[in-house]
Amino acid sequence: MNVYPDNNVPLWAWVWLCCICACAPTAKVSAQWSAWPGAPEVEAYTNFSGQGMSFVDFNLDGWDDLTVSNASNALLFYAGGPDGLEAVDLGITPGTGRPIALMWLDIDNDGDRDFVHTSAMPLSLFSGGGLVSQSQVWICEDGGFVNRTTEWGFGALEDRAANGMAWQDIDLDGDLDVMVSIYALECQSLWMTENVFLEQDGGTLIDVSETSGVASGLQPTFQGTWMDFNADGLQDLFVINDAGVDPVCPTSNQAFINNGDGSFTESSVALGLDVSMSSMCAAVGDPDGDGAEEIFVTNQSIGDFFYPFTQLTGAYFDRNGAGTYEERSEEVGVNTDRWSWGSMWVDQDLDGWEDLLVATSPWNLSGADVSVYDNYFFRHPGASLNNGASFEDVTGEWWGKDALWQTAVRGDFDGDLRPDVVGAGGGQYATFLLNAAADDHPERHRLTVSVCGTHSNSEAIGTRMVLHSNGHAQQRVLRAGEDYFVQHSATQFFGLGTQESADSLEVFWPMGGRSCLYDVAADSAVFVIEGEEEVAVQFESVGDSVWLHLSVPPRWTSIVWNGDTLNTLSVLVPEGAPMAYEVLWFGGLFDLSGAVDWSGFGGAMGCTIPIADNYLPSATEDDGSCTYEGLCGPGTVWSIDLQQCLVQSAPCAPDINANGTVDVADILLILGAFGQQCPD
């Protein structure tokens, strides 16, 4: 774990905070955000149902970068740096159709970020243009990007109206899988395809939609979101569907429970989430701080021209004590009455409670009265929403109310550890807003948390973070694909109010396991590496020299000994020589460093792991000789990296223990099982 206060942050860590050093704003301060005068003109207008945005560092230089698509079916890339955002050419060209969801992820787990986008049908389809859409995968190779769409299984999405993506390691094998939302209009017999679930296996993505049960009927789906409905540690799937109030062909939102065996069961009725509405976006968070995530779903307004039927306004689904969900939008004060698109939970004022932002640009601006489409902002009351408290509608006070937005994404432009916002969609240019909480509440503190997966997927997608402070718990989950086609900064923002430290920070990793930090200083950037407690140095004498063996979590990208990048876990040095080491992950964005402590040298060498077959109680230093065959049953072998038994196919049937030899051990296994009933 690394903690950097905002007034003493090393350069690499400082820029990792998604910073863009710009002139301080001179415009008047709003109650929430102020305009960023140093922002570039990013053409982000869209003429139909929005577009995606990503504010993720694609070149791993420590600066968050901006990626957007627009109505010209273009992909725009802006690299962050000390002078702001600069347009760059990455050699990536969009496929046919209209790029929608945009994601930067380490798909192949090699320590750099790759690019993926979905593609929907172009407007020309309505005038006989035909089915033309190509979602794409671009893999970072040798410093450039190569189109690997076919190799990575995205060819299955061709000529489908692909909208949102939701990435997650569903099978818990350490790599990322993806659910792709397909917009199908069954009643109009258009785009007759179901949602797609692709599971990563052997360096590609395999279509398991049917076998998993996720491809459940033809629905006009905008976005799927991975979340844990029943708190069993498995990721479930919430799917929002448009056009739910169509009297001819109604739809409803769907909820798929993860059965833990690769299959899902649609359970929206049992969970209370089977609501029919024109759902655009599902913002998932924990605004009441009870440990269970709530869902805010945006909706088309009542009586709008596309579906002129009475329907719900925006819906707030609260998980109750029975493990089901209850719609409470009116009770908690977020019952919106405008056509709403994107939304997000964000603690803007740093009081430790998440506020709600809702984008409300009309679908067709021609002749529309945009004054009635002010973007909503709801400030959290600062108390549990289960005790009669409700959000305060402060829409009239904030800078972003007049912007024409269909979606918004959060990050940190100025490096002050406060969440800033980019909105886009209805206007010609994107809108950049700086957080003004320091002006309104200079007494309030904050911190940010960034995580790196080693045993889990390298991005640590699916990591849950819980910050405890003054009897209040805040929860954040790192997702890739949420809200309305956006990818927020990988940095998680926490407000602390007037508290000068947090009592503790719990980090729950996707592959299992937990990291815990105590007495975390306010106004700091916290960096947590999965398995960092595993870093250790073992000694092995060789004459007058000593082998230093460095044990570290997997998926490191480089190792430095005494300032030299050697990329080796072992070095031979004179006994007692001063030696420092540094282990880097994700191209150097995360690191662990230390110095060799020679006080531990000279003890007995051997296996020091109690669960190992050859554990040596007298050993004071581990020599890497541990074996684990006894932990596993027939046909399996112990994986040191994964800390679990893996199936290993035997070279021949009599080789029961799969050790490559038919020997006495196999006979003993047979005799030990003699007389037992065979399974069905």
Side-chain angles (χ1 to χ4, degrees):
M1 182 272 294
N2 303 109
V3 179
Y4 299 105
D6 64 346
N7 62 350
N8 190 29
V9 180
L11 179 61
W12 78 264
W14 183 249
V15 299
W16 168 249
L17 302 174
C18 320
C19 322
I20 298 177
C21 297
C23 300
T26 57
K28 75 169 185 173
V29 175
S30 75
Q32 283 84 36
W33 285 281
S34 61
W36 181 33
E41 288 190 342
V42 178
E43 295 188 6
Y45 174 74
T46 184
N47 55 12
F48 185 71
S49 70
Q51 79 289 303
M53 289 195 296
S54 166
F55 212 98
V56 170
D57 180 9
F58 51 64
N59 55 16
L60 296 182
D61 65 350
W63 295 86
D64 264 10
D65 312 306
L66 181 66
T67 307
V68 302
S69 60
N70 61 23
S72 300
N73 300 338
L75 289 172
L76 307 176
F77 304 97
Y78 295 84
D83 298 320
L85 292 169
E86 180 181 358
V88 294
D89 184 1
L90 301 180
I92 296 174
T93 56
T96 55
R98 185 167 51 89
I100 298 292
L102 319 172
M103 296 285 164
W104 286 98
L105 297 158
D106 186 13
I107 299 173
D108 52 4
N109 265 333
D110 65 350
D112 50 38
R113 285 192 167 119
D114 315 298
F115 178 67
V116 189
H117 78 84
T118 59
S119 182
M121 306 300 175
L123 286 176
S124 61
L125 177 66
F126 294 102
S127 58
L131 298 177
V132 282
S133 70
Q134 291 177 320
S135 302
Q136 293 187 329
V137 176
W138 291 79
I139 299 296
C140 182
E141 299 178 6
D142 300 323
F145 295 95
V146 181
N147 190 331
R148 300 294 187 191
T149 299
T150 301
E151 294 93 322
W152 276 91
F154 257 45
L157 302 177
E158 187 168 355
D159 288 342
R160 301 194 187 198
N163 281 328
M165 291 183 288
W167 292 81
Q168 183 65 257
D169 181 9
I170 296 303
D171 52 1
L172 298 178
D173 61 353
D175 52 38
L176 290 170
D177 317 302
V178 61
M179 180 268 183
V180 182
S181 302
I182 306 297
Y183 199 98
L185 297 174
E186 183 175 14
C187 296
Q188 290 80 8
S189 299
L190 292 174
W191 312 318
M192 300 291 285
T193 57
E194 298 178 299
N195 292 327
V196 176
F197 180 36
L198 303 175
E199 186 176 279
Q200 189 168 167
D201 182 28
T204 189
L205 293 163
I206 308 297
D207 191 342
V208 294
S209 309
E210 296 295 334
T211 57
S212 67
V214 169
S216 181
L218 296 169
Q219 306 278 0
T221 303
F222 272 123
Q223 180 70 53
T225 303
W226 296 107
M227 59 182 299
D228 189 357
F229 289 128
N230 50 11
D232 63 353
L234 300 175
Q235 291 293 313
D236 311 305
L237 180 64
F238 183 54
V239 175
I240 56 167
N241 295 310
D242 189 15
V245 296
D246 191 319
V248 179
C249 188
T251 65
S252 63
N253 296 329
Q254 298 169 295
F256 296 88
I257 295 292
N258 189 337
N259 299 319
D261 59 0
S263 68
F264 294 79
T265 301
E266 208 290 308
S267 306
S268 58
V269 174
L271 290 170
L273 294 170
D274 61 321
V275 176
S276 295
M277 51 193 296
S278 294
S279 304
M280 306 288 166
C281 162
V284 179
D286 185 16
D288 56 7
D290 63 355
E293 290 191 301
E294 280 70 50
I295 310 168
F296 179 78
V297 181
T298 59
N299 192 19
Q300 180 187 324
S301 62
I302 296 175
D304 239 316
F305 64 89
F306 235 163
Y307 288 101
F309 317 111
T310 302
Q311 58 181 291
L312 286 173
T313 57
Y316 175 87
F317 296 99
D318 182 20
R319 200 179 84 177
N320 54 37
T324 59
Y325 288 81
E326 178 183 359
E327 206 290 303
R328 299 178 60 208
S329 59
E330 185 172 359
E331 181 181 348
V332 303
V334 293
N335 51 322
T336 57
D337 61 358
R338 303 163 197 160
W339 190 339
S340 301
W341 299 81
S343 62
M344 74 166 78
W345 296 106
V346 55
D347 182 7
Q348 183 278 332
D349 54 5
L350 309 176
D351 65 349
W353 300 87
E354 290 184 296
D355 312 303
L356 179 63
L357 186 158
V358 183
T360 59
S361 177
W363 173 74
N364 188 342
L365 294 178
S366 178
D369 182 4
V370 297
S371 65
V372 302
Y373 282 92
D374 287 346
N375 299 310
Y376 286 105
F377 190 73
F378 299 96
R379 179 178 291 147
H380 198 286
S384 174
L385 297 170
N386 297 319
N387 297 321
S390 61
F391 286 87
E392 177 187 5
D393 187 349
V394 294
T395 298
E397 303 177 18
W398 80 295
W399 276 84
K401 69 181 181 69
D402 297 324
L404 297 173
W405 288 356
Q406 289 179 317
T407 192
V409 66
R410 62 177 176 265
D412 182 7
F413 303 132
D414 54 357
D416 64 357
L417 313 185
R418 300 178 177 94
D420 309 311
V421 167
V422 184
Q428 181 178 0
Y429 300 106
T431 306
F432 295 78
L433 300 181
L434 286 172
N435 191 295
D439 302 277
D440 291 339
H441 304 286
E443 78 285 357
R444 291 182 181 174
H445 301 282
R446 73 282 185 203
L447 59 82
T448 62
V449 180
S450 301
V451 293
C452 178
T454 57
H455 301 288
S456 303
N457 64 90
S458 65
E459 300 272 3
I461 301 299
T463 299
R464 181 168 65 94
M465 293 154 262
V466 183
L467 188 75
H468 302 269
S469 177
N470 197 30
H472 174 51
Q474 301 179 61
Q475 180 175 218
R476 304 285 188 270
V477 178
L478 178 58
R479 294 185 168 92
E482 56 187 314
D483 299 343
Y484 192 73
F485 309 149
V486 301
Q487 182 183 23
H488 299 297
S489 169
T491 299
Q492 303 299 306
F493 301 90
F494 293 87
L496 288 176
T498 59
Q499 299 298 309
E500 296 184 354
S501 66
D503 299 326
S504 65
L505 171 67
E506 294 180 285
V507 179
F508 299 90
W509 301 101
M511 292 281 288
R514 167 178 164 269
S515 300
C516 195
L517 289 64
Y518 299 95
D519 194 22
V520 184
D523 307 322
S524 62
V526 180
F527 301 83
V528 187
I529 302 170
E530 183 183 18
E532 59 184 284
E533 69 280 355
E534 301 172 23
V535 175
V537 177
Q538 291 100 35
F539 305 89
E540 180 185 357
S541 293
V542 182
D544 295 332
S545 299
V546 178
W547 277 105
L548 302 179
H549 302 293
L550 187 62
S551 64
V552 299
R555 298 197 181 120
W556 50 269
T557 53
S558 60
I559 295 178
V560 179
W561 289 95
N562 271 5
D564 297 324
T565 302
L566 303 178
N567 290 335
T568 176
L569 292 171
S570 301
V571 293
L572 184 64
V573 301
E575 181 179 339
M579 291 293 293
Y581 60 84
E582 184 179 22
V583 187
L584 297 93
W585 287 266
F586 236 122
L589 290 176
F590 294 85
D591 77 335
L592 288 172
S593 59
V596 175
D597 181 7
W598 286 97
S599 64
F601 176 67
M605 300 288 292
C607 176
T608 62
I609 310 299
I611 64 172
D613 300 326
N614 58 334
Y615 169 56
L616 182 62
S618 62
T620 59
E621 295 295 332
D622 195 289
D623 62 359
S625 65
C626 297
T627 59
Y628 303 89
E629 284 80 7
L631 293 174
C632 305
T636 63
V637 63
W638 180 256
S639 170
I640 299 176
D641 291 339
L642 299 178
Q643 293 290 290
Q644 66 182 40
C645 297
L646 302 178
V647 177
Q648 178 175 331
S649 55
C652 60
D655 183 12
I656 298 173
N657 60 6
N659 66 355
T661 304
V662 180
D663 53 19
V664 174
D666 300 302
I667 298 174
L668 293 175
L669 288 172
I670 288 285
L671 294 175
F674 188 80
Q676 296 183 21
Q677 182 69 41
C678 292
D680 296 333

